[in-house]
Amino acid sequence: MAVRKPPITTREYWAPGHAACAGCGCAIVMRLATKAFSEAMEEKYGDPDAFAIAHATGCMEVVSAVFPYTAWKAPWIHVAFENAAAAASGVEAAWKKLGYKGKILAFAGDGGTADIGLQALSGMLERRHNVVYIMYDNEAYMNTGIQRSSSTPYGAWTTTSPPGKYSIGEDKPKKWVALIAAAHMVPYVATASIADPYDFYRKVKKAAKVDGPAFIQVQGTCVPGWRVPPEKSVEVARLAIETGVWPLFEIENGDFRNIKFQRFPKDGKFKKPIEEYLKLQGRFKHLLKNPEAIQQLKEQIKEMWKVLGKEVELP
Amino acid sequence: MKYPFPVGTNDFIQGDEAIARAAILAGCRFYAGYPITPASEIFEAMSLYMPLVDGVSIQMEDEIASIAAIIGASWTGVKAMTATSGPGFSLMMENLGYAIMTETPIVIVDVQRSGPSTGQPTLAAQGDVMQAIWGTHGDHSLIVLSPATVQEAFDMTIKAFNLAEKYRTPVVLLTDAEVGHMREKVNIPNPDEIELLYRKLPQSDEEAKFPFGDIHGDLIPPMPIFGKGYRTYVTGLTHDERGKPKTVESEIHEKLIKRIVAKIENNKKDIIEYETYDLDDAEIVIISYGIVARSAERAVKILRKEGIKAGLLKLNVLWPFDFELIEEIAEQAKKIYVAEMNLGQVYHMVKEGANGKTEVELISKIGGEIHTPYDIIGEIKRGL
């Protein structure tokens, strides 16, 4: 009997023993992304190890490099908060000149991408460096103690967007960096989720195989930051997809008219109400008593889908 | 006015929290920040308090933006502050120079951690002294304060605002992770007992024409407020008394920069603050500042008990620096020790001040732990 190739490689580049919280969604991102990347490198260059990683300061950097250990089984450079894309550009440009065969993988969180690192990301995309940049989006600065970022969703509690008499919590809509990246008309931009690992795996492989820069924004649950139990980590991410909060899409060469969607309901009608997503998370607890704010959030989600060219209905 | 925390009483709070409360009592109504360990608690407190005192607490996209935002806010007439730690402070260097050049009163808190680079985010250090004083390029002067206790962090935050307003200059409150995260008893005075200063405003349309001119002979020009009718022109380029760029006239540059430096240097006696402990008859003098000064004070007590004539000079202000005072001490002392949590920064200034009158030795400790009194005593005894 022929032995089937496993759908996900058994090689590991993100070793056990890292210090991420139980149920950490972003640790899943690291593990899957490096696996997919190595598989792509093997298929493209015949060498699964033909890559290096540039990593901005953030949760996944901290938990993966607790002295004297490292969870990384690949060359890995940790640079300060705003520099992942720029340092990756440097490695890539030098490798190109040196004639090395391989590709660079850059990781940064939403703070390191949407806020302080946006300039470096834009430069990297515009200069067309052959880098895959993965933004692990846990929707706030979790490493420093849960401060808001521009990727924090509307209504969420954080320590710098505390809800109370004068505020509903974060009072601005989420910034979608994937759309900003796509506006650079780069070969490949996608969003992904830890709740659909095969989809994420396929997207990383696809990103790794294109010539030129690629960007993936992947939602990863933060157990302490979102105030969810560890065992609900994947469930809450799945609800984000099923309620229409988190879109899964691919944009190639900035072609906004031909966006490919995944797990999008054919009739544009999401079956589950966003309340189901919200009520699992302590960061939205105060919101459940505020139907107006929930309505506002729904309107924003519809607007976001409209930008993507879809009219949706939210129950 | 109602404050969102108890006033006229004692409280038991962290240094970071004390800084936030003191800023609000000092009249700060604009905070712009960016998360960074070990300064995030200041921002978190500001996020809670500012809406309750009708102020603004705004999260910027990085530290460059944070300091730029408070510079902008300061020109609207509001007292403004940001807080960060080493890596963020490095990013602020360009705009720190801009604030010096444009004479913008702002307060920057640097809760120091070990560097360079990301270093030891949760551990204390005093490695940013030279960066605070000389980190931005070009000739300049500014004010740098160094608290040793949570109470001092509170008091010096108020002092920082007063000095910034009085001298139209950026003031750096240079504290560290130890003071920032430590909980201690703090006396929070009644707001009406706190002396507050506010910048000099132009008294006439004529005065408003010279936002960068020494029109009162005190080296400090009146500062117009954006939105109050003046077309003030603010630029980081070399500018004349009216604020208009004059980038090739060497006399104008020299006059401007010398005035900006002189307004701090000539007022040294007003700005500088220090404390002494058993210094009068001391043969062995320890010079220290910030958290380390507390170990040094204990070291002096122990040495005195053992019959060694030790004394302490605790610096509360690191810039401007009283070189003359150090020379006076050097004339009396057999030996000066500088205890600091770096590889020698204030040490070099002390050496310059001592001017060869006595030997100056460094008691250095890095790695995130404070000197114990016995670290200091051990070094001193070795030298006896």
mmCIF file of all heavy atoms in Angstrom, chain B residues 284-308:
data_model
loop_
_atom_site.group_PDB
_atom_site.id
_atom_site.type_symbol
_atom_site.label_atom_id
_atom_site.label_comp_id
_atom_site.label_asym_id
_atom_site.label_seq_id
_atom_site.Cartn_x
_atom_site.Cartn_y
_atom_site.Cartn_z
ATOM 1 N N ILE B 284 36.141 60.073 52.652
ATOM 2 C CA ILE B 284 35.731 59.249 51.514
ATOM 3 C C ILE B 284 34.357 59.754 51.075
ATOM 4 O O ILE B 284 33.408 59.740 51.864
ATOM 5 C CB ILE B 284 35.587 57.765 51.926
ATOM 6 C CG1 ILE B 284 36.892 57.228 52.512
ATOM 7 C CG2 ILE B 284 35.081 56.915 50.777
ATOM 8 C CD1 ILE B 284 38.006 57.034 51.519
ATOM 9 N N VAL B 285 34.270 60.228 49.853
ATOM 10 C CA VAL B 285 32.986 60.756 49.382
ATOM 11 C C VAL B 285 32.417 59.843 48.293
ATOM 12 O O VAL B 285 33.104 59.523 47.321
ATOM 13 C CB VAL B 285 33.140 62.191 48.833
ATOM 14 C CG1 VAL B 285 31.827 62.679 48.241
ATOM 15 C CG2 VAL B 285 33.599 63.126 49.942
ATOM 16 N N ILE B 286 31.182 59.427 48.507
ATOM 17 C CA ILE B 286 30.493 58.655 47.464
ATOM 18 C C ILE B 286 29.554 59.617 46.743
ATOM 19 O O ILE B 286 28.805 60.357 47.388
ATOM 20 C CB ILE B 286 29.674 57.492 48.066
ATOM 21 C CG1 ILE B 286 30.556 56.635 48.992
ATOM 22 C CG2 ILE B 286 29.070 56.639 46.960
ATOM 23 C CD1 ILE B 286 29.756 55.647 49.830
ATOM 24 N N ILE B 287 29.640 59.615 45.442
ATOM 25 C CA ILE B 287 28.694 60.409 44.647
ATOM 26 C C ILE B 287 27.790 59.431 43.916
ATOM 27 O O ILE B 287 28.265 58.485 43.273
ATOM 28 C CB ILE B 287 29.425 61.342 43.661
ATOM 29 C CG1 ILE B 287 30.272 62.351 44.457
ATOM 30 C CG2 ILE B 287 28.433 62.059 42.754
ATOM 31 C CD1 ILE B 287 31.064 63.317 43.615
ATOM 32 N N SER B 288 26.501 59.637 44.069
ATOM 33 C CA SER B 288 25.563 58.698 43.484
ATOM 34 C C SER B 288 24.260 59.408 43.172
ATOM 35 O O SER B 288 24.052 60.553 43.579
ATOM 36 C CB SER B 288 25.342 57.532 44.448
ATOM 37 O OG SER B 288 24.830 56.441 43.747
ATOM 38 N N TYR B 289 23.368 58.731 42.472
ATOM 39 C CA TYR B 289 22.092 59.335 42.081
ATOM 40 C C TYR B 289 21.104 58.219 41.806
ATOM 41 O O TYR B 289 21.477 57.058 41.590
ATOM 42 C CB TYR B 289 22.267 60.217 40.840
ATOM 43 C CG TYR B 289 22.883 59.467 39.677
ATOM 44 C CD1 TYR B 289 22.089 58.884 38.692
ATOM 45 C CD2 TYR B 289 24.259 59.299 39.583
ATOM 46 C CE1 TYR B 289 22.653 58.177 37.652
ATOM 47 C CE2 TYR B 289 24.827 58.587 38.540
ATOM 48 C CZ TYR B 289 24.019 58.028 37.571
ATOM 49 O OH TYR B 289 24.579 57.308 36.547
ATOM 50 N N GLY B 290 19.831 58.565 41.816
ATOM 51 C CA GLY B 290 18.802 57.571 41.535
ATOM 52 C C GLY B 290 18.810 56.471 42.587
ATOM 53 O O GLY B 290 19.287 56.657 43.709
ATOM 54 N N ILE B 291 18.341 55.330 42.214
ATOM 55 C CA ILE B 291 18.136 54.221 43.146
ATOM 56 C C ILE B 291 19.436 53.841 43.870
ATOM 57 O O ILE B 291 19.414 53.455 45.039
ATOM 58 C CB ILE B 291 17.517 53.016 42.390
ATOM 59 C CG1 ILE B 291 17.094 51.892 43.362
ATOM 60 C CG2 ILE B 291 18.433 52.447 41.335
ATOM 61 C CD1 ILE B 291 15.865 52.187 44.148
ATOM 62 N N VAL B 292 20.576 53.969 43.205
ATOM 63 C CA VAL B 292 21.850 53.545 43.796
ATOM 64 C C VAL B 292 22.215 54.413 45.003
ATOM 65 O O VAL B 292 22.872 53.953 45.937
ATOM 66 C CB VAL B 292 22.979 53.583 42.741
ATOM 67 C CG1 VAL B 292 24.283 53.077 43.332
ATOM 68 C CG2 VAL B 292 22.602 52.758 41.529
ATOM 69 N N ALA B 293 21.755 55.674 45.005
ATOM 70 C CA ALA B 293 22.070 56.577 46.112
ATOM 71 C C ALA B 293 21.537 56.029 47.433
ATOM 72 O O ALA B 293 22.063 56.336 48.501
ATOM 73 C CB ALA B 293 21.499 57.960 45.826
ATOM 74 N N ARG B 294 20.511 55.218 47.359
ATOM 75 C CA ARG B 294 19.936 54.668 48.604
ATOM 76 C C ARG B 294 20.848 53.604 49.199
ATOM 77 O O ARG B 294 20.988 53.502 50.410
ATOM 78 C CB ARG B 294 18.541 54.116 48.314
ATOM 79 C CG ARG B 294 17.633 55.207 47.794
ATOM 80 C CD ARG B 294 16.288 54.706 47.383
ATOM 81 N NE ARG B 294 15.450 54.396 48.536
ATOM 82 C CZ ARG B 294 14.156 54.123 48.427
ATOM 83 N NH1 ARG B 294 13.576 54.113 47.256
ATOM 84 N NH2 ARG B 294 13.449 53.847 49.509
ATOM 85 N N SER B 295 21.465 52.811 48.334
ATOM 86 C CA SER B 295 22.465 51.858 48.818
ATOM 87 C C SER B 295 23.678 52.608 49.331
ATOM 88 O O SER B 295 24.287 52.222 50.333
ATOM 89 C CB SER B 295 22.902 50.915 47.684
ATOM 90 O OG SER B 295 21.846 50.066 47.336
ATOM 91 N N ALA B 296 24.029 53.688 48.650
ATOM 92 C CA ALA B 296 25.204 54.469 49.031
ATOM 93 C C ALA B 296 25.011 55.093 50.412
ATOM 94 O O ALA B 296 25.929 55.137 51.226
ATOM 95 C CB ALA B 296 25.480 55.540 47.980
ATOM 96 N N GLU B 297 23.784 55.564 50.688
ATOM 97 C CA GLU B 297 23.501 56.174 51.985
ATOM 98 C C GLU B 297 23.687 55.142 53.097
ATOM 99 O O GLU B 297 24.288 55.414 54.143
ATOM 100 C CB GLU B 297 22.076 56.732 51.998
ATOM 101 C CG GLU B 297 21.783 57.542 53.237
ATOM 102 C CD GLU B 297 20.354 58.082 53.278
ATOM 103 O OE1 GLU B 297 19.832 58.484 52.217
ATOM 104 O OE2 GLU B 297 19.773 58.096 54.374
ATOM 105 N N ARG B 298 23.193 53.952 52.850
ATOM 106 C CA ARG B 298 23.334 52.869 53.825
ATOM 107 C C ARG B 298 24.823 52.524 54.018
ATOM 108 O O ARG B 298 25.271 52.303 55.143
ATOM 109 C CB ARG B 298 22.552 51.651 53.314
ATOM 110 C CG ARG B 298 22.620 50.443 54.201
ATOM 111 C CD ARG B 298 21.643 50.534 55.358
ATOM 112 N NE ARG B 298 21.862 49.428 56.289
ATOM 113 C CZ ARG B 298 21.785 49.525 57.600
ATOM 114 N NH1 ARG B 298 21.481 50.673 58.154
ATOM 115 N NH2 ARG B 298 21.991 48.480 58.366
ATOM 116 N N ALA B 299 25.553 52.519 52.898
ATOM 117 C CA ALA B 299 26.991 52.220 52.967
ATOM 118 C C ALA B 299 27.705 53.241 53.847
ATOM 119 O O ALA B 299 28.564 52.883 54.663
ATOM 120 C CB ALA B 299 27.589 52.205 51.569
ATOM 121 N N VAL B 300 27.315 54.508 53.726
ATOM 122 C CA VAL B 300 27.925 55.564 54.535
ATOM 123 C C VAL B 300 27.659 55.309 56.017
ATOM 124 O O VAL B 300 28.559 55.401 56.861
ATOM 125 C CB VAL B 300 27.394 56.957 54.112
ATOM 126 C CG1 VAL B 300 27.774 58.013 55.130
ATOM 127 C CG2 VAL B 300 27.931 57.318 52.731
ATOM 128 N N LYS B 301 26.414 54.961 56.335
ATOM 129 C CA LYS B 301 26.044 54.691 57.736
ATOM 130 C C LYS B 301 26.923 53.580 58.312
ATOM 131 O O LYS B 301 27.423 53.680 59.434
ATOM 132 C CB LYS B 301 24.575 54.268 57.824
ATOM 133 C CG LYS B 301 23.623 55.440 57.828
ATOM 134 C CD LYS B 301 22.181 54.954 57.985
ATOM 135 C CE LYS B 301 21.213 56.086 57.674
ATOM 136 N NZ LYS B 301 19.851 55.622 57.444
ATOM 137 N N ILE B 302 27.061 52.499 57.547
ATOM 138 C CA ILE B 302 27.834 51.348 58.031
ATOM 139 C C ILE B 302 29.309 51.728 58.183
ATOM 140 O O ILE B 302 29.941 51.425 59.191
ATOM 141 C CB ILE B 302 27.661 50.142 57.083
ATOM 142 C CG1 ILE B 302 26.198 49.680 57.081
ATOM 143 C CG2 ILE B 302 28.576 48.977 57.496
ATOM 144 C CD1 ILE B 302 25.831 48.706 55.981
ATOM 145 N N LEU B 303 29.834 52.437 57.188
ATOM 146 C CA LEU B 303 31.249 52.841 57.248
ATOM 147 C C LEU B 303 31.513 53.757 58.436
ATOM 148 O O LEU B 303 32.544 53.653 59.106
ATOM 149 C CB LEU B 303 31.655 53.529 55.938
ATOM 150 C CG LEU B 303 31.817 52.601 54.728
ATOM 151 C CD1 LEU B 303 31.910 53.413 53.436
ATOM 152 C CD2 LEU B 303 33.054 51.708 54.867
ATOM 153 N N ARG B 304 30.588 54.663 58.713
ATOM 154 C CA ARG B 304 30.741 55.583 59.851
ATOM 155 C C ARG B 304 30.808 54.799 61.162
ATOM 156 O O ARG B 304 31.597 55.132 62.045
ATOM 157 C CB ARG B 304 29.565 56.563 59.900
ATOM 158 C CG ARG B 304 29.674 57.672 58.886
ATOM 159 C CD ARG B 304 30.481 58.847 59.441
ATOM 160 N NE ARG B 304 30.791 59.794 58.374
ATOM 161 C CZ ARG B 304 31.462 60.930 58.552
ATOM 162 N NH1 ARG B 304 31.898 61.269 59.756
ATOM 163 N NH2 ARG B 304 31.718 61.711 57.532
ATOM 164 N N LYS B 305 29.942 53.776 61.263
ATOM 165 C CA LYS B 305 29.947 52.946 62.472
ATOM 166 C C LYS B 305 31.302 52.282 62.664
ATOM 167 O O LYS B 305 31.734 52.026 63.781
ATOM 168 C CB LYS B 305 28.860 51.874 62.378
ATOM 169 C CG LYS B 305 27.574 52.306 63.038
ATOM 170 C CD LYS B 305 26.570 51.162 63.087
ATOM 171 C CE LYS B 305 25.168 51.727 63.247
ATOM 172 N NZ LYS B 305 24.155 50.827 62.698
ATOM 173 N N GLU B 306 31.945 51.984 61.556
ATOM 174 C CA GLU B 306 33.255 51.326 61.629
ATOM 175 C C GLU B 306 34.395 52.338 61.762
ATOM 176 O O GLU B 306 35.567 51.983 61.688
ATOM 177 C CB GLU B 306 33.469 50.455 60.386
ATOM 178 C CG GLU B 306 32.485 49.296 60.316
ATOM 179 C CD GLU B 306 32.654 48.451 59.065
ATOM 180 O OE1 GLU B 306 33.667 48.633 58.343
ATOM 181 O OE2 GLU B 306 31.771 47.619 58.803
ATOM 182 N N GLY B 307 34.018 53.598 61.900
ATOM 183 C CA GLY B 307 35.021 54.626 62.120
ATOM 184 C C GLY B 307 35.641 55.206 60.859
ATOM 185 O O GLY B 307 36.606 55.949 60.913
ATOM 186 N N ILE B 308 35.073 54.853 59.725
ATOM 187 C CA ILE B 308 35.587 55.419 58.471
ATOM 188 C C ILE B 308 34.773 56.661 58.128
ATOM 189 O O ILE B 308 33.540 56.629 58.102
ATOM 190 C CB ILE B 308 35.515 54.378 57.320
ATOM 191 C CG1 ILE B 308 36.396 53.187 57.665
ATOM 192 C CG2 ILE B 308 35.914 54.996 55.995
ATOM 193 C CD1 ILE B 308 36.176 51.960 56.820
#
